[in-house]
Amino acid sequence: MSETTAPGASQNFYFNPWDENFRANPYPHYKPLLAGPPRIIDLFGPVAMVTRYADVMAVLRDHAHFSSERPRDPSEPPNEGPFAGARTMLFSDPPTHTRLRRLVSRDFTPRRIRELEPRVREIAKNLIDHAQRKGELEVMSGFANALPVMVIAEMLGVPPDHYEQFKHWSDTVVSGDNTLPGTPLPAEFHAAIKALRSYFAEEIDRRRKHPGADLISALVAAHDDAEAMNADELLAFVLLLLLAGNETTTNLIGNGMLALGRNPAQMNLLRQRPELMARAIEEILRYDGPVQSTVRFTKEDINLGGTKLPANQGCFIILAAANRDPAQFEDPDRFDITREPRDHVAFGEGIHFCIGAPLARMEGAIAIGAMLERFGRLRLKDPAMKPAYKGSYFLRGLESLPVAID
């Protein structure tokens, strides 16, 4: 893609999130972007590329000037996405964001996450037992796809054995990210959204009549509160939790196992020193995080890192590039589970810092730890493999990851 302006920089670069080869390994393409101020490029319209760690942190901490709410485009079909125009935490600013986050934060406290840990370990053990009985393990379909969505299903109070259906709907919706701008979204995308919304609308209605000890029931019970979610916001939150919550943790597990498999010395070190698991999870998040980029929009003319951005300018905030910025991380392309954590931005920053981060960290540590503990010779089936990635640039995840467990 070409630059419309390139203040202070002369390197050529390539950025095309719809290119399968680019998605497979975007990291070399970030290096020229890290070498200078933010650039505005033509990406089916002007987009500011924010990649340097300092610039990314500045944007994420400044919701007064950088909005999470996308300006309405009159040419776009209304309410085409899964949230049907309802506000969500991810795509709102204060005071709406403050109200929505406060309502759900009680279910993501450290105490609540600790209460979930025994059940997460039980699910992980069952998945490992199944793989051992089969004598083979494909990390994504056999483990990473199942664990997070089963946990979220239980939090929501819906049958965890429906996880394969939830995962199918989720993958179909996320794959819509790979549709070129101006191109109609496929029929499968619309069908998955319709099925998801219908399923959870019925669950919400059921919880109004027969409440339980689950997250949907708690939010329904708060419905009469003046600051509670309205019906559309409640449905949108449930869908956001299912889509964003399970997909990111699935990708944390898959990307982590791939990084360990490609660095067998690091994998062996983690087996020998399981106390390094917390650091290993942080390094996985930094090195190849499940979320490549997020989006912000300028509220007014502003200077960011030496580049003048006009009001309503769309900005790609490339978290994965910031996590490879040599100005912040020494030898950033090296995968090192003993690295001192230095505030990566894989979970974002500021008021939109991922509310599910403690749960994702816990699930990732349990999942990876269980696989390494049970299978002492676990390794990539083909170390030279070129893995296939799912059809989303923003949510970086593998289609499959076959490993040997003999």
Side-chain angles (χ1 to χ4, degrees):
M1 294 294 167
S2 61
E3 298 175 69
T4 55
T5 61
S10 60
Q11 298 94 334
N12 293 322
F13 69 96
Y14 179 72
F15 185 91
N16 184 354
W18 297 280
D19 178 350
E20 184 178 337
N21 292 322
F22 175 89
R23 289 201 310 275
N25 186 14
Y27 296 103
H29 301 290
Y30 294 153
K31 290 184 179 181
L33 292 168
L34 286 165
R39 310 181 190 189
I40 300 178
I41 70 169
D42 181 13
L43 198 68
F44 295 93
V47 176
M49 311 299 290
V50 184
T51 58
R52 295 183 300 187
Y53 184 89
D55 295 334
V56 166
M57 289 290 277
V59 170
L60 295 179
R61 289 174 170 174
D62 187 5
H63 61 271
H65 294 99
F66 294 90
S67 173
S68 297
E69 297 183 9
R70 182 180 181 183
R72 181 80 182 96
D73 184 348
S75 67
E76 289 186 349
N79 304 339
E80 189 173 38
F83 311 122
R87 298 288 185 89
T88 70
M89 287 189 299
L90 196 59
F91 303 112
S92 63
D93 298 329
T96 299
H97 172 270
T98 309
R99 172 176 61 85
L100 296 177
R101 186 164 179 124
R102 183 167 55 241
L103 281 166
V104 302
S105 60
R106 63 192 170 202
D107 288 281
F108 292 91
T109 62
R111 178 181 176 181
R112 177 61 178 137
I113 301 309
R114 286 195 299 273
E115 290 172 351
L116 288 170
E117 183 172 342
R119 179 56 180 146
V120 174
R121 291 191 181 279
E122 182 182 3
I123 293 171
K125 179 182 180 301
N126 291 340
L127 293 169
I128 288 288
D129 288 346
H130 181 69
Q132 190 164 35
R133 286 193 297 270
K134 287 177 62 179
E136 61 183 33
L137 175 61
E138 195 281 283
V139 170
M140 303 310 294
S141 63
F143 202 108
N145 287 346
L147 180 98
V149 75
M150 291 174 76
V151 172
I152 286 175
E154 293 198 2
M155 290 179 70
L156 294 173
V158 298
D161 57 0
H162 291 182
Y163 83 87
E164 289 185 351
Q165 180 63 74
F166 295 149
K167 195 65 182 176
H168 172 71
W169 288 334
S170 176
D171 286 347
T172 302
V173 173
V174 168
S175 69
D177 281 348
N178 200 35
T179 304
L180 287 168
T183 304
L185 288 158
E188 294 82 3
F189 174 87
H190 296 290
I193 287 177
K194 183 178 179 181
L196 270 170
R197 291 183 63 84
S198 175
Y199 182 95
F200 283 105
E202 290 180 10
E203 286 295 325
I204 290 168
D205 187 58
R206 184 176 295 117
R207 237 49 63 82
R208 286 196 176 96
K209 298 171 183 174
H210 306 287
D214 57 79
L215 180 53
I216 293 178
S217 295
L219 293 172
V220 167
H223 188 67
D224 294 332
D225 189 323
E227 289 198 342
M229 293 180 178
N230 62 41
D232 291 337
E233 289 171 339
L234 175 53
L235 179 56
F237 169 72
V238 171
L239 297 180
L240 176 64
L241 183 61
L242 183 71
L243 293 171
N246 94 75
E247 199 68 37
T248 51
T249 309
T250 288
N251 296 345
L252 164 60
I253 296 167
N255 296 356
M257 290 304 294
L258 177 62
L260 288 165
R262 285 175 164 173
N263 294 271
Q266 294 288 295
M267 182 185 283
N268 289 334
L269 178 61
L270 188 55
R271 277 202 188 93
Q272 295 160 10
R273 297 181 57 192
E275 71 274 12
L276 287 174
M277 181 58 77
R279 283 197 186 188
I281 294 298
E282 299 310 308
E283 178 66 350
I284 289 164
L285 288 162
R286 182 203 69 82
Y287 180 78
D288 193 16
V291 180
Q292 285 286 297
S293 178
T294 187
V295 178
R296 294 291 187 273
F297 303 90
T298 54
K299 294 184 177 181
E300 59 189 51
D301 294 357
I302 192 168
N303 187 303
L304 176 66
T307 299
K308 293 180 180 179
L309 303 178
N312 296 317
Q313 173 65 64
C315 306
F316 270 19
I317 315 303
I318 307 182
L319 308 174
N323 284 336
R324 298 281 190 109
D325 187 346
Q328 177 69 16
F329 303 99
E330 183 180 353
D331 195 6
D333 294 328
R334 176 170 52 89
F335 180 69
D336 180 5
I337 66 169
T338 68
R339 187 188 295 271
E340 286 281 350
R342 290 204 61 196
D343 298 327
H344 63 73
V345 290
F347 287 125
E349 178 64 29
I351 65 169
H352 286 278
F353 183 85
C354 177
I355 197 170
L359 179 59
R361 285 177 164 125
M362 184 257 283
E363 289 182 359
I366 288 174
I368 292 172
M371 284 185 272
L372 296 186
E373 181 181 0
R374 182 71 66 90
F375 304 121
R377 296 184 61 197
L378 186 149
R379 61 199 183 279
L380 297 180
K381 270 195 173 179
D382 178 9
M385 68 176 288
K386 291 185 177 180
Y389 285 84
K390 288 181 280 192
S392 172
Y393 162 72
F394 292 96
L395 298 178
R396 178 171 173 79
L398 296 162
E399 287 279 5
S400 64
L401 182 62
V403 294
I405 58 173
D406 55 284

